[in-house]
Structures are given as structure tokens and as C-alpha cells.
Amino acid sequence: MLHTPLKTNKNSDRVAIIDNNQKYTYSELWKDSNKIAYWLNNFSTSKKTTVAIMLDNCYEAVITIYGCIISNIICVPIDSDMHRDNIEYIMVDSAIDIIVTDKKYLNKVEAFCLDRHIEIILSTDEKNRFNSISNIISNNDTLNETVEINENDTAFILYTTGTTGPRKGVMLSHSNLMASTKNINEFMKIDSSAVESLPMRLSHSFGFARLRCVLEVGGTLILENGFINPNKIIHNIKLYQANAISSVPIGFSILLNYFRPQFESIAPQIKYIEIGSSHMKMRYKQTLLELCPKAKICMHYGLTEASRSTFIEFNGEKNKLDSIGKSSPNVEVKISHDSSNTLNDPDQGEILIRAKTVMKGYLNENTKTNIKNDWLHTGDLGRVDSDGYIYYLGRINDVINVGGLKVAPLEIEKILLKLDGIDEVAVIGLDSDDEISGQSIIAVIVTEKKILPNIFEKFCSGRMESYKIPTNFITVDSLPKTSSGKIKRNLLVDYVKNTIKG
């Protein structure tokens, strides 16, 4: 059987998980995960079982995840706040046999599951007609450790967020998961002293990797459910003397904008920070450096298809904070100049990745267009400077064509964000009515101040080429985003089209 961190620490009385003030040791985690694995192995012998997990961050989610890993059963995490249609799409696409969920989410899945004979398991015993994780733990033995696992077997199917089209099921093998865990820990150098606050969802690549990384070194994880209650997060960091926290940029913007005094009170004890999944404003990077001077502040670039492909460490690389760093340990990254969609610069091209972390492929889809000669074609634009640092320029499909000249939205966004009063901005291209000008550039801006459009235009003038200055500046209350903070540009384009027509 493949190595798991739970097996390494299975007899340890060290606390592995803290969930709602309840502490669970490694020995408890190993035993309970094994009981889940035992039940799963006996659920069906006719075919490979696939399990969906639709839970908030909780102990039951953790032991179900590891129960699947131990028993070599495919696990498919699902966000609990997804629309019913998306949940059903994933369950059909991945041929789910069992779903583990909470009573409060039953209304989203019950009718569909009963119609398709999908077994429903609740996280806790609610004296319901369905089985529960707590009941399985109480009434099953531990698994006999003889399950044969090929490292290339599919362990997890994680679905993309759908920002660039329909959701795709990314098949990750046991080898993929072990490689990414090793690479992250090699770069961040965390050890068994780590006590990490984890508000990131276990159903996402980011949160799932933090779970694996901390348990790999024998550390402790404090499970939180996003930033709905930042005071609770800070309270628990103080209570349990946490020395690590990881989040997408929007989480740190909440802490630094609205809970700064509280964050300052715990900042000196922080030793490790990981940030990722979307762009972070320079002022937040600098604030974290100021408040946490002794912390190893790491930011990654990666995809669900290739987790943590580059890293940068803020304190050690202060002069390169605009970059996404260099390739992670054991990962190769290069810039390809073959794409016809690159900008007007020979140094820029598509980011390609080769590593053991790169996915097996997409479920039910042809992967040959994405992985060629072992290189993953990311669809992201980038460039490399003379020191080997990589700069992310945005998605190839987001590049705007202005009369034959190519414009990267991120370049304009970074400049506009320097204007005082702008909280967020997204730049998109709209097709023009004529065949000459190609696309027009539109800036969609979130600001609480009343700023006239001519101020935006004047600010851009002299800071960029004239053809890059947006023709329209539209202010909105918020931008449509995924739960990890990525802008849904396709929805934004539709909104802007309707706004201009109106």
C-alpha cells in the first residue's frame, strides 16, 4: 500500500485536527479513516466505487478523504454552495456511487440521488433514514492493510472552476498527490511544529494540498470554513497558538482591511504563510512583509491540472514581488513561443509545465491538445526575465486584439490599481462593429469613491500606450468571482454588453 502521512503517525497522540474545539489525534484519525476504508471496500465488489464528498471543512470530511485514499477508491470533492445543476453535472460526469454530505445540503441532492440509486451518507447521525459517518465508525472494523494501490491509479477527480468554459474533471493520481505534497514542503520547509489555520476549502486544490502537507510532517490543522467569521479565525489562532495560515488573496484583504488590529495581535507568532489561486495587490504583499517579518511568506502559481508549479518567497525575493517566482522544486517551467495568440513581444508566450504533479488527464475528454510530449500547455501567458523569474500575463483567450495589436488585460489592471480609490478592476475586450478595429477595451472598476471617467483616462495617459487606454470605464459594486477569487470574465463580458446596450 502507498505511504500516507496517517500511516506514518498512526500511533501518535499528537493532535492532528482541531474542529469546532474538538481535538483529534493521529491515532484517532488513522483508526477512523481505516473504518471508513473498511466500509467502502465492502460497499461494492462489482466495480470501482466513486465517492463524492460535499461537506464543509470538518473532521468527517478529512477521514472520508483518507478513507478513500487508503482503500484506493476515487474521491470527488464538490463545493456545497454550488448550484444544483452543477452538482448534478459533476455527479453524472464522474459516475458517483456514494455521496457523503450534511443534512443541511440534502435538499440539493436527495431527489437526484434516489432517482439514480446513489447511496447517501450523512456526516453525523441525525436519526435519519440514511446511513452516517458516525454510524460507520461505530459499527465497522479497521481495514486489513492489504489493499494494492498502483501509484498511477486515479485517486481524486477535482473539477475546474469553469472560468474558461465548462467544468472539467481533472484526474489526479496517487503519484500526482505525493509529488505535489513533497514539492510544497520542500519549498516551504514546514515541520512537525506547524499549527496551521485552514480556512481554505478541502474541496479545492489549495485547501486539499494544505491538509496533505501539514499532516505529512506531523503538524496540526485548525479547520475553519472560509472568512465568514474572521474574528473566530483569529480567536482560534490565539487559543491554539497557531503559527501558520494559508489563504487566497481575498482572505488576507479581509483581514488587513477590516480586521487589521486583530491580525496585528497574532502576526508576530506566524512562521508560515501560503498564498495562491489569484492575483494579489502589491500593497497587501508589502503589508504582510511589514507585519510578519519573521514569517516565510510563500505565494504560488499553479492550476488544478498542475498544483504549485512556481513559488516565490516574499522576504527572500523582495525585488521580484511582481513575478510568480521560479519553478517549484522538481518542476520544469518554460515559455513557448509557438502560440499565435501571444502579444507583440518575442519574449512572451504560453507557460508550459512538466512534472510528476501534472494530471493524468481530463475525465471523459481528449487530453492530447493539453499535454504534448509530457508538457502541459496551460493556456496562460508569461515571460521570463534575465534572472529567471516568471511573470504571469493572463489567459491567452483573454488577450484583447486592438486593430491587430495584442493587449494583456493584467497589464492595464495593474496600472489602474495604483490609482487611489480603486478597490478592484477587471479589463475585458468587446468585439467592435467594424472589421478594422478588432476589439475595444473596457475597464470594469469597483470603487467606493465617485471618480469621473475622465480621471481614469487621464491617469492611464502617460502610463501606457494610447491604444491600451480603455475606451469605456464602468463602475460596479462587485466583480463576479469563483470561490477562490478568480474573476469570471465570461459573465463580465455579458454584463458589459447589456450595460452598454442599455
Side-chain angles (χ1 to χ4, degrees):
M1 192 174 78
L2 284 174
H3 159 79
T4 72
L6 302 189
K7 187 176 182 182
T8 302
N9 299 287
K10 66 179 182 179
N11 296 317
S12 172
D13 288 330
R14 179 171 172 78
V15 175
I17 300 291
I18 301 173
D19 177 25
N20 281 326
N21 298 319
Q22 178 70 44
K23 296 180 180 180
Y24 301 91
T25 66
Y26 276 91
S27 58
E28 290 173 306
L29 195 53
W30 171 255
K31 181 180 66 176
D32 291 344
S33 297
N34 259 269
K35 288 185 176 183
I36 300 294
Y38 179 91
W39 184 87
L40 289 172
N41 267 20
N42 286 280
F43 174 78
S44 174
T45 56
S46 60
K47 71 180 191 70
K48 182 87 169 181
T49 302
T50 305
V51 177
I53 301 178
M54 193 171 79
L55 292 170
D56 298 333
N57 284 5
C58 61
Y59 178 70
E60 290 76 18
V62 175
I63 59 176
T64 304
I65 286 171
Y66 278 99
C68 289
I69 291 174
I70 292 166
S71 58
N72 196 23
I73 282 174
I74 297 172
C75 181
V76 183
I78 298 178
D79 280 348
S80 56
D81 62 354
M82 270 187 188
H83 188 276
R84 184 182 283 106
D85 291 347
N86 288 328
I87 295 171
E88 293 178 1
Y89 166 79
I90 289 174
M91 292 176 71
V92 170
D93 191 56
S94 54
I96 294 299
D97 300 293
I98 301 168
I99 184 167
V100 181
T101 189
D102 190 273
K103 183 181 179 182
K104 62 185 174 183
Y105 302 126
L106 264 180
N107 63 313
K108 287 188 174 185
V109 299
E110 183 174 0
F112 180 82
C113 289
L114 292 177
D115 183 57
R116 291 179 174 262
H117 306 290
I118 296 171
E119 184 86 2
I120 296 174
I121 307 295
L122 297 182
S123 56
T124 55
D125 187 5
E126 301 283 350
K127 307 245 182 253
N128 198 291
R129 62 187 181 281
F130 301 113
N131 201 351
S132 68
I133 293 297
S134 53
N135 184 56
I136 290 171
I137 291 172
S138 299
N139 297 299
N140 282 273
D141 295 325
T142 55
L143 181 72
N144 186 351
E145 298 176 41
T146 57
V147 177
E148 292 295 327
I149 300 176
N150 185 311
E151 67 175 19
N152 294 317
D153 287 346
T154 299
F156 271 69
I157 301 173
L158 294 176
Y159 277 79
T160 59
T161 53
T163 55
T164 59
R167 295 175 183 272
K168 296 178 181 179
V170 176
M171 296 186 293
L172 299 173
S173 67
H174 292 276
S175 177
N176 291 149
L177 300 182
M178 289 190 296
S180 61
T181 302
K182 175 185 174 183
N183 294 352
I184 298 164
N185 282 351
E186 186 174 329
F187 184 86
M188 293 189 67
K189 295 179 171 57
I190 68 169
D191 55 33
S192 60
S193 68
V195 180
E196 180 167 322
S197 172
L198 181 61
M200 301 309 304
R201 297 181 181 188
L202 298 177
S203 55
H204 287 194
S205 175
F206 191 174
F208 178 39
R210 292 313 310 158
L211 172 74
R212 302 195 314 273
C213 288
V214 175
L215 295 185
E216 174 72 31
V217 297
T220 301
L221 275 166
I222 307 166
L223 299 181
E224 305 286 1
N225 278 295
F227 285 85
I228 296 174
N229 189 348
N231 275 321
K232 177 176 176 286
I233 293 174
I234 292 170
H235 169 78
N236 284 341
I237 288 174
K238 288 181 179 178
L239 179 64
Y240 299 113
Q241 285 298 294
N243 56 19
I245 182 171
S246 298
S247 173
V248 293
I250 193 171
F252 284 107
S253 70
I254 291 171
L255 291 176
L256 297 176
N257 278 331
Y258 305 107
F259 296 86
R260 178 156 175 165
Q262 296 93 319
F263 183 76
E264 286 181 355
S265 70
I266 55 98
Q269 70 193 58
I270 301 300
K271 291 172 57 180
Y272 309 102
I273 291 175
E274 188 183 358
I275 309 162
S277 298
S278 60
H279 174 69
M280 188 179 210
K281 293 180 183 179
M282 183 60 71
R283 70 172 182 266
Y284 294 135
K285 295 178 183 180
Q286 292 168 339
T287 301
L288 284 176
L289 279 170
E290 173 192 338
L291 299 181
C292 307
K294 296 181 181 179
K296 192 173 183 68
I297 306 172
C298 305
M299 189 165 189
H300 71 254
Y301 156 82
L303 306 88
T304 306
E305 294 90 334
S307 178
R308 315 307 208 278
S309 295
T310 74
F311 262 115
I312 185 168
E313 199 281 303
F314 289 4
N315 273 297
E317 302 167 284
K318 292 180 182 179
N319 295 328
K320 300 290 184 177
L321 292 183
D322 265 344
S323 77
I324 55 173
K326 296 183 178 181
S327 58
S328 301
N330 310 303
V331 176
E332 293 178 79
V333 179
K334 71 177 182 179
I335 303 297
S336 168
H337 306 289
D338 297 333
S339 174
S340 60
N341 291 318
T342 54
L343 306 183
N344 315 306
D345 189 328
D347 295 328
Q348 299 171 349
E350 185 178 13
I351 299 174
L352 271 55
I353 301 166
R354 182 166 66 182
K356 288 185 178 180
T357 57
V358 172
M359 66 174 179
K360 287 180 61 175
Y362 292 118
L363 179 69
N364 303 327
E365 289 196 34
N366 188 342
T367 313
K368 291 181 180 179
T369 57
N370 302 92
I371 301 178
K372 303 173 186 177
N373 299 319
D374 294 329
W375 287 94
L376 173 69
H377 291 242
T378 65
D380 290 335
L381 281 172
R383 67 176 178 87
V384 181
D385 69 12
S386 58
D387 295 317
Y389 284 84
I390 303 163
Y391 292 78
Y392 173 77
L393 303 174
R395 296 288 298 171
I396 288 177
N397 292 337
D398 292 336
V399 168
I400 303 168
N401 186 339
V402 182
L405 298 172
K406 305 292 181 66
V407 180
L410 191 59
E411 178 187 354
I412 302 173
E413 291 167 2
K414 285 183 176 180
I415 291 172
L416 279 169
L417 282 170
K418 294 177 181 178
L419 177 60
D420 184 44
I422 293 184
D423 298 316
E424 292 182 296
V425 61
V427 171
I428 59 172
L430 287 187
D431 292 338
S432 301
D433 293 331
D434 61 80
E435 297 180 357
I436 299 174
S437 55
Q439 293 179 299
S440 57
I441 301 174
I442 313 295
V444 185
I445 295 167
V446 178
T447 177
E448 294 182 359
K449 294 186 177 181
K450 290 184 178 180
I451 306 175
L452 296 174
N454 66 305
I455 299 297
F456 296 131
E457 188 173 350
K458 184 177 179 181
F459 184 82
C460 291
S461 180
R463 291 179 171 84
M464 64 182 73
E465 294 86 345
S466 59
Y467 69 89
K468 294 179 181 178
I469 298 175
T471 57
N472 273 294
F473 298 89
I474 298 172
T475 56
V476 296
D477 293 330
S478 63
L479 299 174
K481 295 179 182 177
T482 67
S483 56
S484 60
K486 294 179 181 177
I487 297 170
K488 295 183 177 180
R489 292 182 187 270
N490 55 336
L491 296 182
L492 203 55
V493 169
D494 292 338
Y495 170 80
V496 170
K497 283 180 180 178
N498 293 331
T499 301
I500 292 176
K501 285 180 181 179

